[in-house]
Amino acid sequence: MEIVDLKKWFPGVKANDGVNLTLRGGEVHAILGENGAGKSTLMKMIYGLLEPTSGEIRFMGKAVHFRSPREAIHAGIGMVHQHFMLIPALTVAENVVLGDEPGRIKFDRKEAQKRVRELSEKYRLAIDPSAKVADLSVGLQQRVEILKAFYRKAKLIILDEPTALLTPQETRELFSIIRGLKAEGVPVLFISHKLDEVLEISDRVTVMRAGKTVETVETKGATPQTLANLMVGREVVLRVEKSDAHPGEPILQVHDLHVRDFGRMERVKGVNLELRRGEILGLAGIDGNGQFELADAIAGLLKPEQGQIIFDGDDITRWSPAERTERGIAYVPQDRQLDGLVLSFNLVENTILRDFRKRPFAKNGVIDRTAATNYTERLIREFDVRPPDASRKASELSGGNQQKVILAREVSRDPLMLIAAQPTRGLDVGAIEGIHRQLVRLRDEGKGVLLVSLELEEILSLSDRIAVIHDGRIVDIVPGAQATREQIGLLMTGSRGHSEVSMS
Amino acid sequence: MIFSDPEIWAATLSMAVPLALPAIGGTFSERTGVVNIAMEGIMLIGAFFAVAFSYWTGSAWLGLLAALICGGLTAAALAWGAIRVSADQTVLGMGINIFAAGLTTFLLNTLFGFNGTPISTPKLPNISIPGLDNIPYIGVIFQNQSILVYIMIVLVIVSHWFLFHTRLGLRMRSVGEHPLAADTLGINVWRIRYFGVILSGLFSALGGAYLSIGVLNGFTANMTNGRGYIALAAMIFGKWTPLGSFGAALIFGFSTALGIVLQGQGISSNLLQMIPYALTILALAGLVGRAVAPAADGIPYDPRRS
Ligand SMILES: Nc1ncnc2c1ncn2[C@@H]1O[C@H](COP(=O)(O)OP(=O)(O)OP(=O)(O)O)[C@@H](O)[C@H]1O
Ligand SMILES: [Mg+2]
């Protein structure tokens, strides 16, 4: 595939503004770029979801103009989307074969399940074809997405941030699949913000900046630092710089908390936890072990079955989320599109979402647009939201920039405590650097920070103490400075290992 | 005891037809993601044109065909507005209902005058299935029912099979749940939605024709009398499935039949007429098994926006 001077202009944004790319047979080609650099836009054009403003896409020697995904699929292009394209109400098998179902008039359900089972065995992506997608964890849903692309025997596979939601184990499995594809001569376009992944799996890397392809380099010879610098266009600090913590009084105490999720499953099974002012407490764990339900319960989105939550001296167990917000709890939820933003609202409306009833944003029950817009524009500058346009709808922002808006809103309210669930998911290295600095700044100002992350590196580099959760219970709490990857990884599987119990 | 009298079951079945057919129609439309509250209006149009063409051509079957064509066209207009123009589907549906009530009354008066449709209008035959009517009790229920009763029973089964066991049915459901996902798999979302909505028009028109040339042989102004809305309730109570819609239509039909039997026996038939609505509210509130609409129901699809 060859892409020549491709452009895609949205009203007011040049999402792609001169993209040049050559993809060789059987290579894994990584695309790197900051949030909003235009990676997804490029992929959507290749896949026929968006029509280019100008430029050309050549595939297998011919210029192609896909007007719909139908045509792209037909030409042999498969895509795993950054935001899942799965139908929760249908089964795994139905999702995989949809659009190319076995049978004539009748849908041959048995055959569909058989094919999906064979496919999942061939690529060693274990999955139950008859399970409903709504009941699957995100990791398993990701598998379904990948199986969809394989099912169509794609001649070119696009993976738009496929590892953003995967555990390290699942990522390793995905990589062996990608290597298998490579061996079969199928080229892969691979997008990720994780530099180590890009270095491990790709043959060449193309870096995009502000809609343009800047450079294509051989992976051999590149280092995380050179890639990061190319991406951001300046020297990036990859390590978190922080001084020692000076923890003060406890700000949050959780006693014997039990929480059920919306499916009435008990997810948190008796958690005791203490967070102090001026510290970052990392909550490490494998996805699905109750960490996000715990965060939701502290923020007030889930009602605990049992137990107590004490915040700054008040028993807030029965408080509403709004009351907790007022009291000084800020929350960056895991699902930014579902719980974090109103996608159809513009940035002004989204940034004042928590405080629109109050001055200076409202006077006598009427919203003061000017005050709100000024405030939003300040946040956009401070947090480097791109494009810097307050009147834009949240849905028009790239994933990483959506996350910046949420963080800006939560942090700028000057809370006493911040719960950050997966705060850097899908963010580029530059943006991660910025967000990590914000978390450390909050801590240094004497706020409590509860960091819930599936990213072990993130937990290790930021936390002053690390609590490890497994199956809804805290397995151990260890000081962050001494903790090692291996030790925490072992605890995450539920085994205490050799470390001492230190519930301090 | 009234329940042991097969007549009440025969009446229930007959009352269920003009509810089940539009309810199944609505199911098809909403399963593809287009809210259809225009069943009432499309039924009226079906009922009127069935009579008109039955009278003009002298054949009830041609009348039925005309009803289907007119119902299908009305639904196509709804589909165009909902799909192509992305208009608000509830407003569109209400518009069609009001338009249909006005149009049919106007045409009735101008074409047939104040005496109404002629009594010589042919109607569809009533039949008894040989063999079936020999079975005691059951036989009485099915004795001398309109041919549309049998057609409905076949349609219920075929519809359910179609929606849940065919490739097209799977595609329809996927489009109603997550059109963007369906689109990325190469499914033509708009075409499927047109199909679902027009299908709903055909079913609704059939339900209307049942009233005017199945049970009776004439049209009176506003003769559907809110059945399109009860069908909407039946569709929801039946959890957006053809079998469920039919079951709900039977329950609602029974409450109507009961109302007729109990007339003058101290129980107000108005109370019984509340049953469909009360049950629907309970179903929506999650008390009688949760009713969940297709996820993308009522949301126009425009691929360029996402
Ligand atoms: N439908 C749209 N309308 C207007 N602007 C859009 C639209 N889609 C994307 N954009 C803009 O185009 C730019 C590129 O977005 P894109 O999603 O391609 O970024 P990305 O590189 O994939 O970022 P991320 O890493 O955060 O996923 C962004 O500035 C975004 O706001
Ligand atoms: Mg993207």
Side-chain angles (χ1 to χ4, degrees):
Chain A
M1 168 166 286
E2 203 174 343
I3 290 163
V4 187
D5 205 27
L6 200 64
K7 293 185 181 169
K8 176 72 196 179
W9 295 359
F10 292 112
V13 197
K14 295 179 178 176
N16 273 200
D17 191 26
V19 171
N20 291 284
L21 192 76
T22 312
L23 187 62
R24 301 177 189 146
E27 80 165 339
V28 179
H29 196 120
I31 312 281
L32 267 179
E34 290 184 276
N35 297 124
K39 305 178 297 292
S40 296
T41 304
L42 171 61
M43 300 307 144
K44 284 180 191 163
M45 282 191 285
I46 299 177
Y47 195 62
L49 270 170
L50 289 174
E51 226 169 301
T53 309
S54 71
E56 197 171 75
I57 303 175
R58 293 193 200 120
F59 186 48
M60 316 238 279
K62 282 196 296 277
V64 287
H65 303 275
F66 301 135
R67 269 160 304 155
S68 71
R70 209 175 0 269
E71 298 178 10
I73 292 170
H74 201 73
I77 295 176
M79 175 157 175
V80 173
H81 299 266
Q82 180 173 9
H83 298 116
F84 289 167
M85 292 292 168
L86 295 174
I87 300 161
L90 300 185
T91 67
V92 169
E94 286 168 341
N95 266 285
V96 171
V97 302
L98 190 63
D100 186 14
E101 313 87 356
R104 286 174 61 82
I105 290 172
K106 187 176 179 303
F107 170 54
D108 192 341
R109 190 163 281 137
K110 282 222 182 67
E111 175 67 19
Q113 297 194 347
K114 190 174 135 246
R115 285 190 199 173
V116 173
R117 198 171 301 115
E118 282 168 6
L119 211 58
S120 86
E121 277 160 14
K122 180 176 170 204
Y123 292 101
R124 275 189 272 130
L125 287 165
I127 198 137
D128 173 11
S130 58
K132 229 179 170 189
V133 164
D135 299 333
L136 300 182
S137 69
V138 275
L140 286 177
Q141 292 188 9
Q142 177 79 70
R143 280 186 200 187
V144 182
E145 274 287 13
I146 294 168
L147 284 175
K148 271 165 67 179
F150 288 162
Y151 177 76
R152 290 173 175 73
K153 299 197 180 61
K155 297 192 197 85
L156 162 69
I157 290 192
I158 300 169
L159 300 168
D160 193 353
E161 299 198 31
T163 59
L165 302 170
L166 297 188
T167 62
Q169 175 61 29
E170 287 166 332
T171 302
R172 233 168 293 136
E173 283 167 20
L174 174 66
F175 281 2
S176 66
I177 297 163
I178 295 180
R179 289 198 188 94
L181 284 172
K182 207 173 122 175
E184 289 177 26
V186 179
V188 177
L189 271 170
F190 178 82
I191 300 179
S192 171
H193 288 294
K194 299 177 190 166
L195 299 175
D196 47 339
E197 289 181 1
V198 168
L199 287 170
E200 183 186 339
I201 195 69
S202 71
D203 301 304
R204 292 193 302 157
V205 185
T206 294
V207 176
M208 284 182 74
R209 209 188 300 150
K212 293 187 174 65
T213 42
V214 192
E215 210 173 313
T216 300
V217 296
E218 296 286 331
T219 308
K220 231 177 283 163
T223 67
Q225 192 68 51
T226 56
L227 290 180
N229 294 352
L230 259 181
M231 229 170 99
V232 185
R234 64 175 164 87
E235 198 74 21
V236 185
V237 189
L238 286 177
R239 298 187 56 89
V240 186
E241 285 164 358
K242 60 175 183 134
S243 53
D244 288 341
H246 302 288
E249 295 290 296
I251 180 95
L252 173 79
Q253 284 155 309
V254 175
H255 296 303
D256 190 31
L257 201 69
H258 292 255
V259 184
R260 286 175 191 275
D261 64 13
F262 286 114
R264 307 293 305 141
M265 277 261 287
E266 188 172 24
R267 293 294 193 167
V268 178
K269 306 171 179 173
V271 161
N272 291 293
L273 205 64
E274 188 177 274
L275 171 68
R276 288 181 235 157
R277 290 170 186 269
E279 78 164 348
I280 298 179
L281 175 65
L283 187 59
I286 299 167
D287 192 16
N289 277 280
Q291 60 268 67
F292 298 111
E293 286 78 8
L294 177 60
D296 275 351
I298 299 172
L301 300 185
L302 283 176
K303 277 206 186 73
E305 296 280 299
Q306 187 186 322
Q308 220 182 11
I309 305 169
I310 313 280
F311 178 70
D312 198 23
D314 288 334
D315 183 344
I316 61 163
T317 317
R318 306 260 156 254
W319 289 24
S320 72
E323 288 168 321
R324 297 180 202 217
T325 305
E326 277 311 292
R327 191 68 181 72
I329 296 182
Y331 187 32
V332 175
Q334 180 201 13
D335 191 328
R336 56 178 164 240
Q337 300 206 328
L338 205 64
D339 302 324
L341 293 168
V342 182
L343 286 177
S344 57
F345 279 13
N346 68 23
L347 297 191
V348 177
E349 290 155 341
N350 270 296
T351 44
I352 63 166
L353 216 44
R354 289 217 191 257
D355 292 312
F356 66 89
R357 292 181 200 82
K358 295 191 305 198
R359 281 170 184 274
F361 306 130
K363 289 193 187 94
N364 309 321
V366 180
I367 290 190
D368 181 346
R369 290 261 158 201
T370 326
T373 307
N374 289 341
Y375 176 72
T376 305
E377 280 171 351
R378 205 189 84 214
L379 295 198
I380 286 176
R381 266 196 313 279
E382 274 175 30
F383 286 79
D384 189 25
V385 177
R386 281 178 249 178
D389 177 1
S391 63
R392 203 160 275 276
K393 279 188 187 172
S395 60
E396 291 171 12
L397 256 52
S398 76
N401 282 295
Q402 290 178 350
Q403 187 74 341
K404 288 188 205 166
V405 173
I406 298 173
L407 201 87
R409 177 184 69 213
E410 298 299 315
V411 169
S412 307
R413 303 183 60 253
D414 196 27
L416 293 173
M417 174 178 85
L418 171 72
I419 309 164
Q422 294 278 70
T424 60
R425 185 170 104 193
L427 263 59
D428 67 63
V429 282
I432 291 175
E433 182 193 8
I435 283 177
H436 283 175
R437 219 184 284 132
Q438 291 288 348
L439 296 183
V440 174
R441 183 182 61 89
L442 277 178
R443 179 201 76 164
D444 291 343
E445 286 171 4
K447 314 288 169 56
V449 177
L450 178 64
L451 170 68
V452 187
S453 176
L454 302 176
E455 218 64 61
L456 204 44
E457 289 307 326
E458 181 167 47
I459 296 261
L460 284 168
S461 61
L462 281 173
S463 311
D464 300 312
R465 286 190 304 144
I466 301 173
V468 184
I469 191 166
H470 174 77
D471 193 23
R473 295 183 187 88
I474 301 292
V475 189
D476 204 351
I477 300 182
V478 298
Q482 285 106 305
T484 65
R485 217 189 142 82
E486 289 66 35
Q487 177 197 13
I488 303 294
L490 196 65
L491 285 171
M492 274 162 56
T493 64
S495 62
R496 279 254 163 88
H498 48 277
S499 76
E500 294 296 313
V501 186
S502 50
M503 299 284 282
S504 56
Chain B
M1 220 358 233
I2 44 170
F3 294 109
S4 55
D5 180 0
E7 284 300 332
I8 192 164
W9 300 113
T12 297
L13 194 60
S14 162
M15 298 287 176
V17 178
L19 302 179
L21 286 171
I24 293 170
T27 298
F28 281 126
S29 172
E30 304 221 345
R31 277 287 180 169
T32 63
V34 180
V35 165
N36 188 350
I37 64 160
M39 276 97 91
E40 175 79 3
I42 300 176
M43 281 178 85
L44 268 179
I45 286 183
F48 176 79
F49 286 101
V51 169
F53 279 86
S54 179
Y55 172 66
W56 290 330
T57 62
S59 156
W61 290 106
L62 287 177
L64 185 67
L65 183 68
L68 290 176
I69 291 172
C70 296
L73 285 175
T74 314
L78 169 69
W80 183 81
I83 298 164
R84 192 68 226 210
V85 192
S86 300
D88 186 285
Q89 297 166 10
T90 311
V91 175
L92 268 177
M94 265 335 276
I96 286 180
N97 288 341
I98 295 166
F99 168 76
L103 178 79
T104 50
T105 310
F106 169 75
L107 289 179
L108 176 69
N109 291 338
T110 43
L111 296 177
F112 295 101
F114 292 101
N115 296 329
T117 49
I119 41 170
S120 59
T121 304
K123 71 189 280 286
L124 291 169
N126 284 9
I127 55 169
S128 308
I129 303 239
L132 196 65
D133 54 352
N134 292 335
I135 308 171
Y137 200 82
I138 304 280
V140 185
I141 298 177
F142 284 95
Q143 213 162 51
N144 201 32
Q145 289 275 23
S146 166
I147 188 160
L148 283 177
V149 169
Y150 302 98
I151 291 179
M152 170 199 66
I153 292 172
V154 173
L155 282 176
V156 168
I157 297 164
V158 171
S159 298
H160 203 82
W161 178 79
F162 174 71
L163 193 57
F164 292 103
H165 296 278
T166 67
R167 296 174 59 193
L168 188 53
L170 177 67
R171 290 176 177 209
M172 289 173 79
R173 286 182 288 134
S174 75
V175 163
E177 291 286 339
H178 195 334
L180 182 60
D183 193 4
T184 60
L185 292 173
I187 290 170
N188 190 329
V189 174
W190 286 6
R191 199 188 296 165
I192 297 253
R193 288 194 165 176
Y194 270 107
F195 176 71
V197 177
I198 291 173
L199 210 52
S200 82
L202 298 181
F203 273 80
S204 303
L206 199 58
Y210 173 77
L211 292 173
S212 65
I213 57 170
V215 184
L216 306 170
N217 60 337
F219 181 85
T220 53
N222 201 23
M223 76 182 299
T224 49
N225 197 19
R227 283 186 181 82
Y229 298 112
I230 302 184
L232 201 61
M235 169 192 79
I236 296 168
F237 191 59
K239 297 181 181 165
W240 286 271
T241 66
L243 274 184
S245 297
F246 176 58
L250 282 178
I251 295 174
F252 296 173
F254 177 71
S255 71
T256 315
L258 203 60
I260 296 167
V261 174
L262 292 180
Q263 225 156 35
Q265 294 195 20
I267 297 176
S268 162
S269 67
N270 290 332
L271 274 178
L272 289 162
Q273 277 163 17
M274 275 172 45
I275 290 176
Y277 299 105
L279 284 177
T280 304
I281 290 170
L282 291 181
L284 279 173
L287 297 176
V288 201
R290 225 156 72 85
V292 189
D297 202 6
I299 306 166
Y301 178 63
D302 179 356
R304 282 154 312 207
R305 279 196 329 178
S306 32

